[in-house]
Amino acid sequence: MIAIYPGSFDPITLGHIDIIERGAKLFDKVIVAVLSNPSKNPLFSVDQRLEQISECTQHIQNVKVDSFVGLTVEYAKLHHAGVLLRGLRVLSDFEKELQMAHTNKTLNQEIETVFLATTKEYSFLSSSIVKEIAQFGGSINHLVSANIARDMYQKYQNK
Ligand code: PNS
């Protein structure tokens, strides 16, 4: 079974990597799919994010990194995936995630959403929190992989 792990990944955090590692044990292949959505005004371009994610998932054999535009279920169908993988951190995630899962189910009944409970050390972690800390010069070394910390440091230094 192929699983799609869709998201913004702006940037990818250790919490995301944890979900990818665990998902890769459950499914034959996990495709990390970066949504290309310029209206979100991302910190990193899609190409930068693809490179970053490839670097920090290179230790996992059955992971592919890609980007997409449009509907996640359409992308999943195109790649013969039967599962959308998402992490659930806290109760407040649940409402949005359930809405997305139900919406996706109405769009394609064949595709299931599978949630993995985020490892508790990362349950507070989000890309937004990482950006906020980095922006004010705080350490993010315990929250992201070394390549991301380096890229973020460079980004905010140049601003
Ligand atoms: O990392 P994020 O920002 O929480 O990921 C959200 C994402 C990319 C999974 C979601 O916005 C998405 O699937 N967008 C693509 C458009 C789509 O398929 N919409 C219908 C489902 S709500």
Side-chain angles (χ1 to χ4, degrees), residues 6-9 35 40 68 70-72 86 96 100 103-104 107:
S8 306
F9 305 107
L35 175 67
K40 265 197 160 183
F68 73 105
L71 292 175
T72 302
R86 294 286 289 173
K96 179 187 159 221
M100 280 205 290
T103 305
N104 286 328
L107 295 170

Side-chain angles (χ1 to χ4, degrees), residues 19-141:
I19 297 289
I20 299 168
E21 285 172 345
R22 288 160 58 208
K25 288 182 190 155
L26 295 173
F27 301 104
D28 298 312
K29 185 161 131 188
V30 173
I31 305 177
V32 182
V34 179
L35 175 67
S36 175
N37 183 0
S39 66
K40 265 197 160 183
N41 193 19
L43 181 64
F44 294 108
S45 71
V46 169
D47 284 345
Q48 279 174 307
R49 280 177 274 164
L50 291 179
E51 206 179 303
Q52 290 169 338
I53 301 168
S54 300
E55 193 174 336
C56 50
T57 58
Q58 64 186 356
H59 61 291
I60 319 166
Q61 290 294 309
N62 52 334
V63 170
K64 196 183 152 222
V65 185
D66 195 12
S67 64
F68 73 105
V69 283
L71 292 175
T72 302
V73 287
E74 293 299 328
Y75 177 83
K77 192 176 165 193
L78 198 68
H79 292 269
H80 311 287
V83 163
L84 301 180
L85 180 64
R86 294 286 289 173
L88 270 183
R89 290 167 299 190
V90 284
L91 192 60
S92 52
D93 278 347
F94 185 73
E95 212 169 327
K96 179 187 159 221
E97 293 298 332
L98 195 67
Q99 185 185 32
M100 280 205 290
H102 284 318
T103 305
N104 286 328
K105 196 76 182 182
T106 64
L107 295 170
N108 188 328
Q109 304 237 337
E110 303 299 312
I111 298 173
E112 296 290 349
T113 298
V114 171
F115 296 111
L116 285 184
T118 298
T119 299
K120 63 179 185 312
E121 293 93 293
Y122 303 130
S123 61
F124 68 96
L125 184 51
S126 69
S127 301
S128 311
I129 282 204
V130 168
K131 281 185 273 202
E132 187 163 314
I133 298 171
Q135 191 179 350
F136 295 113
S139 171
I140 51 167
N141 295 327

